[in-house]
Amino acid sequence: MTALPTTTFPGVIPVLNPANQEHIGEVPQYERTAVLACVDRALAAQRKWAGTSIHERIRILKNFRRILCDQKDAVADVITREAGKPKSEALATEVMVILDTVGFLCDYAPMFLQPEPVPHSNPIMKLKRGWLLRQPYGVIGIISPWNYPFSVPSVETLSALITGNAVVLKPSEFTPFSALKLQELLFAAGLDHDLFQVITGDGSTGAALLASNIQKIVFTGSVATGKKVAQAAAARLLPVVLELGGKDPMIVLDDADLQVASSAAVWGAFMNAGQTCLSIERCYVHESIYEAFLKACVEKTAKLRVGNGGDTSTDIGPLIHQPQLKIVREHVEDAVANGARLLAGGKTLPELGPNFYAPTVLAGVDHSMRIMREETFGPVLPVRSFKNDEEAVALANDSEFGLAASVWTGNRKRGEQLAARVAAGTVMVNDVIACFGISEAPHGGVKASGIGRTHGKLGLEEMVWPKYVDSDRLPHMKKLWWYGYGPQFLQQMEGFIDFLFSGKMSARLRGGMQSTRAYLRRKLL
Ligand code: NAD
């Protein structure tokens, strides 16, 4: 596979299959001038697109959904080959999520883009009618990571397009072909080519996009790069959405179903080889079930098959590259060196390939260890015990991150009450990660996990700027609060304030009388 360059490029980036280092293809490295040209073309196309009816946009999105459904296998193959994940995960967490997203957008966007009345409560303002318009920004720049190379940029791109924006997408240099596949499908669905441009390249291409004439940036990636993006955006007051890392806690209460919770822990920590922003990165289990929970996790982990994601029997694929593997290895080594018990895994699997790491279960971890503080992003399940709900909440909230969390209990009400106390953008009760597949649910974090939201209504709000329009019902009447001030007017204003807000009925009545005279003012300029 080789992307077709639209202009001359000084360099190319090779793309490798992380499972076996197979050379999949190469993509051009977009440099500053090429990036600027793409954004200019997108801006010109967006002016026309903003004027198309919502029905036309929906028609294209529905075409896209039909083509994506037909080509689901081919799309999953592209994802698996460059990101390494099992093909079943590529289908479930990437293709299916996007098929569902299109349904949500097509159903919801027409209502969302309707002018929204803004009723006025102040009696004097009732002589006007107000409403909110949601205007597209223009060109939305999107910078995306490698771990969900299809679903992450697709949700953002589709949300931007349906609200009338153009998109210039900079995918991860490790997984550009999933984004190029998205582009191919949208073009096949009938989208104007200038409305969605994919600029391949590394961080320098992303930096060039930030310096271009985009009107908003939606960034998904690490905290370290997110800070650079925020700084570049601040310098030119560019609005941002930052979807950053996580260190998601799982809290298993004493009344949780042990078998269900241990299966959830194993899947939630190891799915996509632990390279999910919503992965379980910290697990807290009530002391009364701690040892039994660990035993169940270790037994289940032993049954998992690590291998090439293209093999249908694989449960866990490789890590994306060597730097990621190094972080995982260092976090586990640090934990063990500081007293953690290694119950499973804890080693690389060179016999499978250079990027494989065995699913790992650690017990006896504490918050002084890197494994409990920094994002590991690998197949590691560190488990710690707690004594009571208070301690569980305190441990969960003792983190610089706040993307998502989960609470496991047989008592839903208890779980929901506890969920309200956990500082995270999403808290699931008796499930994990699945929130990403709920198209209506907002996705995003607090603290270092980011700013703003993608997905759902709140994700759509990020793609538009609100314009409030107000129209006076009496165009021939001068407003009572205009010039012509004096002692009389002052008295009338005081009366009006008493009429509206005084706690005393007598003052309200007197104020009402006093202020009515304002309507008879003759000295208005
Ligand atoms: P990364 O920060 O290394 O790279 C993300 C993107 O930024 C890539 O496209 C990269 O080329 C680009 N980039 C790098 N330097 C840049 C610069 N100076 N200016 C502009 N762009 C630049 O992240 P990654 O390793 O690709 O992805 C993994 C991270 O993403 C993890 O931390 C994970 O938690 C996070 N993530 C978060 C979410 C979420 O929704 N919150 C979803 C997926 C991944």
Side-chain angles (χ1 to χ4, degrees):
M1 275 186 284
T2 309
L4 282 180
T6 51
T7 178
T8 320
F9 295 93
V12 290
I13 298 182
V15 182
L16 304 181
N17 181 332
N20 54 16
Q21 306 304 298
E22 165 206 10
H23 182 266
I24 303 175
E26 46 197 33
V27 291
Q29 164 83 30
Y30 276 66
E31 308 232 332
R32 190 176 163 274
T33 327
V35 172
L36 297 186
C38 287
V39 174
D40 282 349
R41 281 200 302 276
L43 258 178
Q46 189 270 336
R47 288 188 198 108
K48 194 164 150 223
W49 180 243
T52 56
S53 71
I54 183 72
H55 304 292
E56 171 59 7
R57 296 181 209 159
I58 288 174
R59 187 186 67 75
I60 293 175
L61 256 64
K62 285 190 173 168
N63 276 346
F64 163 77
R65 182 171 58 179
R66 184 179 42 74
I67 300 167
L68 173 59
C69 190
D70 290 347
Q71 292 201 29
K72 55 186 175 305
D73 259 14
V75 175
D77 278 339
V78 173
I79 298 169
T80 291
R81 215 160 151 215
E82 64 180 5
K85 64 185 68 183
K87 193 171 162 186
S88 47
E89 284 182 10
L91 279 173
T93 65
E94 305 236 34
V95 175
M96 194 170 75
V97 166
I98 297 313
L99 290 168
D100 193 65
T101 296
V102 174
F104 163 73
L105 292 174
C106 292
D107 290 347
Y108 189 71
M111 188 174 67
F112 176 77
L113 293 173
Q114 283 289 318
E116 182 185 321
V118 179
H120 304 349
S121 60
N122 188 329
I124 208 160
M125 295 301 171
K126 284 190 187 293
L127 294 175
K128 307 164 178 307
R129 197 169 73 83
W131 62 93
L132 199 64
L133 295 178
R134 292 181 164 91
Q135 310 270 290
Y137 273 98
V139 179
I140 306 274
I142 298 177
I143 299 178
S144 57
W146 47 261
N147 63 335
Y148 285 84
F150 188 76
S151 56
V152 165
S154 294
V155 170
E156 296 161 2
T157 298
L158 298 172
S159 303
L161 288 173
I162 202 156
T163 42
N165 298 282
V167 171
V168 177
L169 164 65
K170 208 300 279 174
S172 168
E173 56 272 39
F174 300 104
T175 55
F177 287 114
S178 302
L180 290 167
K181 191 75 188 162
L182 169 66
Q183 186 186 46
E184 179 192 314
L185 301 189
L186 276 168
F187 288 175
L191 189 75
D192 180 321
H193 289 205
D194 287 345
L195 278 175
F196 177 42
Q197 302 186 56
V198 177
I199 50 169
T200 49
D202 58 16
S204 64
T205 308
L209 181 62
L210 282 164
S212 74
N213 193 16
I214 53 173
Q215 281 73 53
K216 181 151 186 172
I217 185 77
V218 179
F219 172 83
T220 308
S222 62
V223 172
T225 314
K227 286 181 180 169
K228 289 186 200 163
V229 169
Q231 278 164 0
R236 48 173 293 205
L237 292 180
L238 182 71
V240 292
V241 172
L242 299 175
E243 291 282 9
L244 308 180
K247 192 74 196 166
D248 291 4
M250 170 186 198
I251 300 175
V252 185
L253 300 180
D254 48 2
D255 62 354
D257 183 313
L258 201 76
Q259 283 310 316
V260 171
S262 56
S263 289
V266 167
W267 183 77
F270 302 150
M271 199 270 275
N272 198 20
Q275 302 167 116
T276 299
C277 54
L278 299 168
S279 290
I280 294 170
E281 290 242 343
R282 300 178 284 149
C283 184
Y284 303 105
V285 182
H286 190 265
E287 59 185 7
S288 64
I289 54 169
Y290 183 61
E291 289 301 332
F293 181 87
L294 285 171
K295 187 165 172 284
C297 288
V298 171
E299 282 168 10
K300 289 171 186 181
T301 301
K303 294 185 182 146
L304 296 174
R305 294 150 302 183
V306 184
N308 188 321
D311 178 343
T312 49
S313 61
T314 292
D315 295 308
I316 302 178
L319 294 169
I320 189 73
H321 47 42
Q322 284 291 302
Q324 196 54 49
L325 186 90
K326 183 166 175 278
I327 294 171
V328 176
R329 218 180 45 219
E330 286 176 359
H331 283 195
V332 173
E333 283 169 8
D334 171 74
V336 172
N338 285 291
R341 280 188 288 146
L342 182 64
L343 303 182
K347 56 179 185 197
T348 56
L349 300 170
E351 63 279 19
L352 296 177
N355 295 339
F356 287 93
Y357 196 85
T360 298
V361 181
L362 288 169
V365 290
D366 66 50
H367 280 208
S368 69
M369 299 171 182
R370 293 180 69 192
I371 201 90
M372 297 301 270
R373 304 218 74 88
E374 300 170 28
E375 189 180 46
T376 307
F377 230 50
V380 184
L381 176 64
V383 193
R384 184 201 192 284
S385 66
F386 65 85
K387 288 188 188 335
N388 53 42
D389 291 8
E390 288 306 311
E391 189 187 10
V393 171
L395 286 167
N397 289 344
D398 178 24
S399 172
E400 70 168 296
F401 295 97
L403 190 56
S406 61
V407 181
W408 299 80
T409 168
N411 179 341
R412 283 173 45 208
K413 199 166 169 51
R414 182 181 173 204
E416 287 160 16
Q417 281 169 352
L418 204 121
R421 300 172 58 198
V422 177
T426 299
V427 186
M428 298 199 83
V429 178
N430 292 323
D431 205 350
V432 62
I433 300 178
C435 48
F436 192 76
I438 303 167
S439 299
E440 295 74 14
H443 174 70
V446 291
K447 301 195 267 184
S449 290
I451 297 171
R453 294 293 181 266
T454 55
H455 297 234
K457 175 179 186 266
L458 295 185
L460 282 175
E461 293 283 12
E462 299 283 3
M463 301 299 173
V464 292
W465 53 276
K467 180 195 283 181
Y468 174 66
V469 179
D470 198 283
S471 177
D472 199 274
R473 297 177 203 269
L474 298 174
H476 300 295
M477 191 182 127
K478 289 180 184 175
K479 309 304 170 238
L480 305 175
W481 51 91
W482 290 356
Y483 283 129
Y485 299 165
Q488 207 187 4
F489 179 58
L490 193 67
Q491 210 183 27
Q492 286 160 352
M493 272 300 111
E494 281 170 0
F496 190 57
I497 287 171
D498 279 346
F499 171 62
L500 290 183
F501 304 111
S502 173
K504 292 186 197 139
M505 185 52 78
S506 56
R508 291 182 76 166
L509 287 173
R510 197 171 48 247
M513 296 293 290
Q514 229 168 328
S515 57
T516 317
R517 286 182 216 126
Y519 288 95
L520 307 173
R521 284 171 76 206
R522 290 178 189 281
K523 284 192 187 156
L524 275 171
L525 280 185

Coordinates of all heavy atoms in Angstrom, one line a residue, residues 4 33 36 62 119 145 170 212 252 257 282 291 352 405 433 450 484 504:
L4 N -1.1 8.0 -2.4 CA -0.8 8.8 -3.6 C -0.4 10.2 -3.2 O -1.3 10.9 -2.6 CB -2.0 8.8 -4.5 CG -2.2 7.5 -5.3 CD1 -3.4 7.7 -6.2 CD2 -1.0 7.2 -6.2
T33 N 4.8 23.8 3.6 CA 4.1 24.4 2.5 C 3.0 23.5 2.0 O 1.9 24.0 1.7 CB 5.1 24.5 1.3 OG1 6.4 24.8 1.8 CG2 4.7 25.6 0.3
L36 N 0.1 24.0 4.5 CA -0.6 25.2 4.3 C -1.6 25.2 3.1 O -2.7 25.6 3.1 CB 0.3 26.4 4.1 CG 1.2 26.7 5.3 CD1 2.1 27.9 5.1 CD2 0.4 26.8 6.6
K62 N -24.5 8.5 5.2 CA -25.2 7.2 5.1 C -24.6 6.3 4.0 O -24.4 5.1 4.1 CB -26.7 7.4 4.9 CG -27.4 7.8 6.2 CD -28.9 7.8 6.1 CE -29.5 8.1 7.5 NZ -30.9 8.3 7.4
P119 N -35.3 31.6 25.8 CA -36.4 32.4 26.5 C -35.8 33.4 27.4 O -34.8 33.2 28.1 CB -37.2 31.3 27.2 CG -36.7 30.0 26.8 CD -35.3 30.2 26.3
P145 N -3.7 9.6 17.4 CA -2.7 8.7 17.8 C -2.8 7.3 17.1 O -3.7 7.2 16.2 CB -3.1 8.5 19.3 CG -4.6 8.5 19.3 CD -5.0 9.5 18.2
K170 N -4.1 14.9 10.6 CA -2.7 14.4 10.7 C -2.8 13.1 11.6 O -2.8 13.2 12.8 CB -1.9 15.5 11.4 CG -0.4 15.5 11.0 CD 0.4 14.2 11.3 CE 0.8 14.1 12.7 NZ 1.4 12.8 13.0
S212 N -1.0 26.5 10.9 CA -1.7 26.9 9.7 C -3.0 27.6 10.0 O -3.3 27.9 11.2 CB -2.0 25.6 8.9 OG -3.1 24.9 9.5
V252 N -13.2 -2.6 43.0 CA -14.0 -3.8 43.2 C -14.5 -3.9 44.6 O -13.7 -4.1 45.5 CB -13.2 -5.1 42.8 CG1 -14.1 -6.3 42.8 CG2 -12.6 -4.9 41.4
D257 N -19.5 -9.4 42.0 CA -19.4 -10.8 41.5 C -18.0 -11.1 41.1 O -17.4 -10.5 40.2 CB -20.3 -10.9 40.3 CG -20.4 -12.4 39.8 OD1 -19.3 -13.0 39.7 OD2 -21.5 -12.9 39.5
R282 N -5.1 0.7 37.1 CA -5.0 0.5 38.5 C -6.2 -0.3 39.0 O -7.3 0.1 38.6 CB -4.9 1.8 39.2 CG -3.8 2.8 38.8 CD -3.9 4.1 39.6 NE -5.0 5.0 39.1 CZ -5.7 5.8 39.8 NH1 -5.5 5.9 41.1 NH2 -6.6 6.6 39.2
E291 N -7.4 -11.9 47.7 CA -6.6 -13.0 47.3 C -7.4 -13.9 46.3 O -6.9 -14.4 45.3 CB -6.2 -13.9 48.5 CG -5.1 -13.2 49.4 CD -3.8 -12.9 48.7 OE1 -3.5 -13.5 47.7 OE2 -3.2 -11.9 49.1
L352 N 8.2 -14.5 19.9 CA 7.0 -14.1 19.0 C 7.4 -12.9 18.2 O 6.8 -12.7 17.1 CB 5.8 -13.7 19.9 CG 5.2 -14.8 20.8 CD1 4.1 -14.3 21.6 CD2 4.7 -15.9 19.9
A405 N -13.2 5.6 34.9 CA -13.0 4.7 36.1 C -14.2 3.8 36.1 O -15.1 4.0 35.3 CB -13.1 5.5 37.4
I433 N -14.6 0.4 29.6 CA -14.2 0.7 28.2 C -15.4 0.9 27.3 O -15.4 1.6 26.4 CB -13.2 -0.3 27.7 CG1 -11.9 -0.3 28.5 CG2 -12.8 0.0 26.2 CD1 -10.8 -1.3 28.1
G450 N -7.2 15.8 30.0 CA -7.6 16.7 28.9 C -8.6 17.8 29.1 O -9.0 18.0 30.2
G484 N -30.8 59.9 29.0 CA -31.9 60.7 29.5 C -31.9 60.4 31.0 O -33.0 60.4 31.6
K504 N -39.5 41.8 50.2 CA -40.7 42.3 50.8 C -41.8 42.6 49.8 O -41.6 43.3 48.8 CB -40.4 43.6 51.6 CG -39.5 43.4 52.8 CD -39.3 44.7 53.5 CE -38.1 44.6 54.4 NZ -37.4 45.9 54.4

